[in-house]
Amino acid sequence: MSVTTFPRRRLAQGLAVGALSLGLLGSAFASGIQVTEAWIRWLPANLPAGGYAKVTNDTDKEVKLVGASSPKYGMVMLHQTVNKNGMSNMVHVDAIPIAPHKSMAFTPGDYHIMLMQPKPGIEPGQKVPVTLKFSDGQSVTTEFEVRKPTASGPGDDMKGMDMGHMKGMQH
Ligand SMILES: [Cu+2]
């Protein structure tokens, strides 16, 4: 019996290691761009959601973030919230440059990934893949954690009870 179980275990371990290295190759580490602290502020009733993350450029060159997409949303754009004359507005952003060895953060009230036309069934607690696209053609896909409307950051549902964020469609 032990003769048959031993190779099986070896095989399972080999598969696990293989999957891990494949995962690393397919994500941030291969390109030198890392996407961390990724989360989505989910809103009910098919409202657009705001996506937030930290994007770190670990390469020696400037990278430009030029777009985003997700299989769970029909339309995804890069937005920035700007305050002008006491009014808060969202504007579309064509490109966000990130200097070598610097990072930028999508945060509520500033840059955000606008996730529109949600597919049915997206709920807080799930993870949703979002792909960020860069001007040199590379893209990085990250699992974004879907959080409740009251969340103010990754892994944080209790703070940020400022319901003013939910007025209209501001993100
Ligand atoms: Cu927006």
Side-chain angles (χ1 to χ4, degrees), residues 79 90 112 114 169 171:
H79 274 185
M90 298 194 297
H112 55 275
M114 194 87 263
M169 294 190 342
H171 293 278

Side-chain angles (χ1 to χ4, degrees), residues 122-170:
I122 304 171
E123 284 172 13
Q126 293 176 348
K127 287 195 168 168
V128 166
V130 176
T131 300
L132 298 182
K133 295 167 186 174
F134 296 87
S135 58
D136 63 356
Q138 61 175 313
S139 59
V140 179
T141 301
T142 311
E143 295 286 321
F144 279 55
E145 201 174 340
V146 181
R147 308 208 63 86
K148 292 173 188 165
T150 49
S152 62
D156 169 20
D157 274 342
M158 298 311 290
K159 283 190 277 175
M161 298 297 279
D162 176 11
M163 298 305 276
H165 285 298
M166 287 191 65
K167 276 186 204 149
M169 294 190 342
Q170 291 178 21

Side-chain angles (χ1 to χ4, degrees), residues 18-35:
L20 181 66
S21 43
L22 267 180
L24 291 177
L25 279 175
S27 77
F29 292 92
S31 63
I33 297 168
Q34 290 190 51
V35 180

Side-chain angles (χ1 to χ4, degrees), residues 81-90 170:
T81 301
V82 289
N83 289 296
K84 222 178 186 179
N85 305 324
M87 297 279 287
S88 179
N89 276 308
M90 298 194 297
Q170 291 178 21

Side-chain angles (χ1 to χ4, degrees), residues 45-117:
N46 289 330
L47 281 172
Y52 309 100
K54 186 177 167 190
V55 185
T56 303
N57 174 14
D58 272 335
T59 74
D60 295 326
K61 284 190 238 165
E62 181 188 88
V63 296
K64 268 199 192 97
L65 187 52
V66 291
S69 66
S70 171
K72 293 288 189 181
Y73 292 87
M75 197 180 189
V76 183
M77 294 171 96
L78 302 178
H79 274 185
Q80 187 177 23
T81 301
V82 289
N83 289 296
K84 222 178 186 179
N85 305 324
M87 297 279 287
S88 179
N89 276 308
M90 298 194 297
V91 294
H92 173 72
V93 181
D94 288 324
I96 303 171
I98 310 171
H101 305 288
K102 296 280 182 204
S103 59
M104 66 80 57
F106 290 95
T107 48
D110 193 0
Y111 285 114
H112 55 275
I113 302 158
M114 194 87 263
L115 300 147
M116 289 163 281
Q117 303 167 10

